[in-house]
């Protein structure tokens, strides 16, 4: 497998531009754009008159560890959260309107006020801030808060407890607010067995929100204290709320609502309108990020597909199929032979799991070396979209397989909760069964099956080689090592997640490894601190099971900079080749 025709790692890093956090006001559209070299997020602004302009100030926040909701605009200007200090400031002049040691996020405008969430060590605060004077008022305190909205003296937000995750138990609340105090607070939806998220005041005056009370996250409207389904579908109309500021639906003119609809790894755009069935908007995208905004009568979205890199676009919803691309990666070399995925359903433990199988580029048939990838999260899913890291390996003769194991989103609440208390067991079982299946049907080469994951996926990869099975090597980026210990070292937001997933035997133990492992970790990782990985590496070395340790100075959990990604890809490829060349053998 020569490198001569393989996609260079540096090109993968350059091509991996990402966009997030759409926000619109009038004819202005904003988003966050990642700079490939540094991984910094900066403000991008589009208008029909001036096109796209970029601001150099790094933007973002660390609320709930993963941030979100760092942009908001009104008729006066645009406000952002500075990545360096988590404070809200005017985008045009950089002047801050907050001065706090704590970060802010989930920005919204209403009644001339900025409303947002501020996270402190003891919990969250819902704030109302005068953008002119900086005067602020704490409206609500709770362990966790999100989605503030204020319209005509009516306030809404979502909240959940310190012992839960918002995709399991989340409540939507409303209250009156006269500019001085709030009153009449009441819970509208959500509870111990219901996740209600993304509350938003509609142009008709009603409160809208998304709830999984039927087992699927669907859109509802609160009318006179009754939750009324707006667009019932057997699909997920919300993403698991890892970040603040998600907007899986947006209001269009003429009482229409645009929304994302996810089924497994595929996502589409749909429109709900009074008196009509939910209508799919035909687009060239199979993956949509959880950010919709409306500019005029068009919907702004961040879409992609297996042969199309993520792009910011305005799409018509009138049936014309018109798509205006506002921003996409600049690809100087278009000659890459893309590997396109085959969607499979594979039996596992009496049920089925969904798999994306990417054959080597240009490969006809027959068994090949294979890299199986459990996704991060684990409360997440594989995306049906172009992933340049996949192409890095398929361009070198590997097949890549993405697995939506039990616990993934996109399949309803029961499937999502199937991993509770079973992390490192059911996910591993599903990955192992997928690998055995692909070996049995001649798609994978015996002795050349690898497993690779990041974060929670890295944990699954490590657990998978602690048992007898088909995997010749595990690669773990930014991995969790001990879920029980992680309940104390994880960010405040995720400690309940760790507690929900963990069990007494969930730790990764070096003496149980049946195959070697490559560990790749950022030294500044605050989600999964590097200490546990260093200890595991020491033990694996003593047991002759360490394929390598790549410690990345100055790098956090996501390996977002070009240099970090290049180092990780090249180390991973080198580890696979060591096994294939016989330099790593396991008795």
């Amino acid at each position: 497998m020569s490198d001569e025709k393989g996609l260079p790692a540096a090109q993968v890093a350059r091509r991996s531009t990402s966009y997030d956090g759409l926000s619109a006001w009038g004819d202005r559209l904003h988003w966050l754009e990642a700079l490939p070299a540094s991984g910094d997020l900066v403000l991008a602004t589009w208008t029909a008159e001036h096109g796209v302009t970029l601001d150099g100030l790094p933007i973002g926040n660390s609320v709930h560890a993963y941030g979100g909701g760092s942009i908001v605009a009104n008729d006066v200007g645009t406000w952002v959260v500075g990545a360096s200090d988590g404070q809200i400031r005017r985008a045009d002049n950089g002047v801050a309107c907050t001065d706090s040691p704590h970060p802010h996020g989930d920005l919204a405008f209403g009644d001339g006020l900025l409303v947002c969430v501020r996270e402190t060590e003891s919990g969250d605060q819902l704030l109302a801030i005068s953008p002119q004077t900086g005067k602020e008022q704490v409206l609500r305190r709770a362990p966790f808060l999100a989605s503030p909205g204020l319209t005509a003296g009516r306030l809404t937000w979502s909240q959940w407890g310190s012992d839960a995750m918002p995709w399991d138990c989340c409540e939507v609340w409303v209250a009156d607010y006269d500019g001085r105090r709030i009153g009449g607070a009441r819970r509208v939806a959500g509870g111990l067995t219901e996740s209600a998220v993304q509350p938003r005041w509609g142009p008709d005056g009603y409160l809208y929100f998304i709830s999984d009370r039927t087992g699927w996250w669907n859109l509802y409207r609160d009318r006179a204290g009754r939750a009324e389904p707006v667009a019932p579908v057997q699909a997920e109309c919300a993403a698991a709320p890892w970040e603040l500021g998600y907007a899986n639906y947006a209001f269009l003119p003429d009482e229409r609502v645009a929304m994302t609809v996810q089924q497994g790894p595929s996502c589409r755009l749909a429109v709900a309108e009074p008196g009509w069935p939910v209508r799919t908007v035909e687009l060239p995208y199979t993956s949509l990020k959880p950010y919709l905004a409306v500019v005029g009568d068009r919907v702004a979205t961040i879409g992609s597909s297996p042969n199309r890199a993520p792009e910011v676009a305005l799409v018509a919803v009138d049936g014309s199929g018109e798509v205006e691309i506002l921003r996409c990666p600049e690809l100087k070399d278009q000659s890459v032979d893309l590997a396109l995925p085959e969607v499979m359903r594979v039996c596992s433990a009496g049920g089925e799991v969904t798999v994306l199988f990417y054959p080597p580029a240009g490969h006809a048939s027959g068994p090949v070396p294979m890299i199986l990838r459990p996704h991060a999260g684990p409360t997440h899913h594989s995306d049906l979209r172009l992933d340049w890291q996949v192409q890095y390996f398929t361009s070198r003769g590997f097949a890549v397989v993405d697995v939506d194991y039990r616990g993934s989103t996109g399949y309803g609440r029961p499937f999502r909760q199937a991993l509770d208390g079973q992390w490192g067991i059911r996910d591993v079982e599903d990955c192992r069964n997928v690998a055995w299946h692909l070996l049995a049907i001649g798609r994978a080469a015996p002795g050349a099956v690898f497993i690779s994951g990041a974060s929670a996926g890295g944990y699954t990869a490590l657990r998978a080689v602690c048992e007898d099975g088909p995997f010749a090597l595990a690669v773990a980026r930014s991995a969790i090592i001990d879920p029980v210990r992680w309940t104390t070292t994880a960010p405040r937001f995720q400690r309940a997640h760790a507690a929900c997933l963990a069990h007494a035997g969930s730790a990764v133990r070096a003496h149980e490894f049946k195959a070697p492992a490559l560990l790749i970790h950022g030294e500044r990782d605050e989600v999964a601190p590097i200490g546990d990985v260093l200890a595991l590496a020491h033990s694996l070395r003593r047991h002759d099971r360490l394929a390598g340790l790549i410690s990345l100075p100055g790098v956090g959990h996501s390996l977002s900079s070009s240099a970090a990604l290049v180092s990780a890809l090249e180390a991973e490829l080198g580890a696979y080749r060591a096994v294939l060349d016989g330099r790593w053998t396991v008795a």
Side-chain angles (χ1 to χ4, degrees):
M1 282 181 280
S2 170
D3 268 353
E4 291 179 5
K5 295 185 179 179
L7 186 65
Q11 276 197 38
V12 171
R14 284 197 302 272
R15 291 167 184 260
S16 299
T17 301
S18 66
Y19 313 105
D20 284 288
L22 290 175
S23 178
W25 178 267
D27 62 353
R28 278 183 288 150
L29 181 67
H30 303 287
W31 62 86
L32 294 179
E33 185 163 327
L35 303 178
S38 63
D40 288 341
L41 297 170
V42 297
L43 178 69
T45 301
W46 174 89
T47 64
E49 181 179 0
H50 298 107
V52 177
T53 58
L54 294 182
D55 188 290
L57 175 71
I59 293 173
N61 69 79
S62 61
V63 176
H64 303 169
Y66 298 97
S70 295
I71 312 169
V72 70
N74 66 1
D75 55 350
V76 175
T78 303
W79 280 258
V80 297
V81 181
S84 63
D85 57 8
Q87 302 306 299
I88 304 170
R89 59 191 72 241
R90 280 284 296 261
D92 56 353
N93 59 22
V95 174
C97 66
T98 57
D99 182 15
S100 166
H102 305 297
H104 303 74
D106 225 346
L107 309 187
F109 257 116
D111 294 356
L113 297 171
L114 267 168
V115 289
C116 69
V117 173
R118 179 163 68 198
E119 182 178 25
T120 73
E121 293 87 351
S122 59
D124 287 355
Q125 300 171 345
L126 180 60
L127 299 182
I129 303 169
S130 167
Q132 289 79 30
T133 67
K135 181 180 178 182
E136 63 182 45
Q137 182 181 6
V138 177
L139 305 180
R140 183 81 172 185
R141 288 182 172 88
F144 293 98
L145 293 160
S147 303
L150 178 62
T151 298
R154 295 178 302 161
L155 180 68
T156 186
W157 68 90
S158 63
Q159 67 179 56
W160 63 99
S162 58
D163 59 348
M165 297 306 292
W167 47 76
D168 291 326
C169 315
C170 190
E171 300 173 346
V172 166
W173 284 70
V174 297
D176 299 321
Y177 178 58
D178 62 5
R180 297 184 302 276
R181 62 181 66 85
I182 68 169
R186 66 180 179 90
R187 182 172 60 88
V188 171
L192 292 177
T193 59
E194 179 187 1
S195 169
V197 296
Q198 297 185 35
R200 195 164 298 129
W201 296 109
D204 55 7
Y206 293 112
L207 181 72
Y208 289 72
F209 59 91
I210 296 177
S211 167
D212 70 350
R213 59 183 59 189
T214 66
W216 300 97
W217 271 312
N218 275 199
L219 184 62
Y220 291 82
R221 172 173 48 215
D222 180 58
R223 191 194 291 266
R226 272 187 36 243
E228 175 182 277
V230 173
V233 289
Q234 291 276 303
E236 303 283 32
C237 298
W242 280 97
E243 299 175 20
L244 302 174
Y246 284 173
N248 285 96
Y249 67 100
F251 300 109
L252 286 158
D254 303 322
E255 300 183 71
R256 296 171 298 161
V257 183
M259 62 185 190
T260 64
V261 179
Q262 182 195 349
Q263 292 172 302
S266 182
C267 191
R268 69 184 194 275
L269 182 67
V271 172
E273 47 195 319
W276 295 92
V278 177
R279 172 173 57 87
T280 295
V281 180
E282 296 300 329
L283 294 175
Y285 307 127
T286 53
S287 177
L288 299 172
K289 285 200 168 182
Y291 307 106
L292 298 182
V294 172
V295 179
D297 60 355
R298 294 186 292 174
V299 176
T301 189
I302 302 169
S304 53
S305 73
N307 61 359
R308 201 166 182 139
E311 55 194 32
V312 182
L314 284 176
V315 302
V317 293
D318 58 3
S320 67
E322 178 187 341
V323 176
E324 181 183 359
I325 299 171
L326 308 183
R327 192 73 164 168
C328 61
E330 295 181 12
L331 305 181
K332 295 180 180 179
D333 178 12
Q334 300 284 356
S335 62
V336 177
D337 185 10
L338 294 178
L340 301 179
E342 175 185 346
V343 181
M344 300 179 175
R345 299 282 289 174
V346 176
C347 291
S348 180
E352 286 186 326
V353 294
T354 301
V355 171
L356 301 179
F357 180 90
Y358 294 84
H363 182 76
S365 61
V368 294
M370 185 180 79
I371 305 164
L372 188 144
R373 304 196 313 174
H375 57 72
T379 309
H380 194 50
H381 60 273
S382 305
D383 286 301
L384 191 58
R385 62 172 178 84
L386 178 56
D387 182 337
W388 289 112
Q389 295 185 51
V390 169
Q391 305 302 320
Y392 177 78
F393 293 107
T394 57
S395 68
R396 288 170 169 78
F398 292 87
V400 177
V401 183
D402 288 345
V403 181
D404 275 359
Y405 48 83
R406 281 170 288 176
S408 301
T409 56
Y411 305 89
R413 184 180 176 100
F415 193 89
R416 188 171 76 236
Q417 294 186 320
L419 203 58
D420 291 357
Q422 297 290 314
W423 197 19
I425 299 174
R426 289 180 174 172
D427 49 332
V428 169
E429 183 178 28
D430 291 343
C431 289
R432 187 170 57 243
N433 286 338
V434 168
W436 284 127
H437 172 76
L438 292 169
L439 283 162
I441 64 174
R443 304 294 291 272
V449 177
F450 311 106
I451 185 165
S452 172
S455 191
Y459 168 76
T460 299
L462 294 175
R463 288 278 298 188
V465 294
C466 289
E467 303 175 8
D468 292 326
F471 301 114
L473 175 92
V475 177
R477 298 187 197 175
S478 309
I480 290 95
I481 303 301
D482 183 348
V484 174
R485 175 172 160 75
W486 197 43
T487 61
T488 62
T489 61
R492 188 178 71 93
F493 166 74
Q494 218 167 344
R495 289 177 188 173
H497 195 208
C500 178
L501 294 166
H503 53 88
S506 58
V508 173
R509 298 178 175 86
H511 69 273
E512 296 177 344
F513 276 56
K514 313 294 184 184
L518 170 66
L519 306 176
I520 303 170
H521 218 92
E523 292 181 3
R524 293 183 59 189
D525 191 337
E526 296 181 355
V527 174
I530 194 171
D532 286 351
V533 169
L534 296 177
L536 177 65
H538 178 73
S539 295
L540 286 174
R541 189 177 285 112
R542 287 192 292 106
H543 288 86
D544 196 27
R545 287 294 185 266
L546 183 66
L549 169 65
I550 309 299
S551 176
L552 300 170
V555 174
H557 192 62
S558 64
L559 312 190
S560 56
S561 71
S562 291
L565 182 56
V566 168
S567 295
L569 288 172
E570 291 179 345
E572 186 169 347
L573 178 63
Y576 297 148
R577 286 183 168 165
V579 173
L580 295 175
D581 294 346
R583 285 176 280 146
W584 248 110
T585 57
V586 178

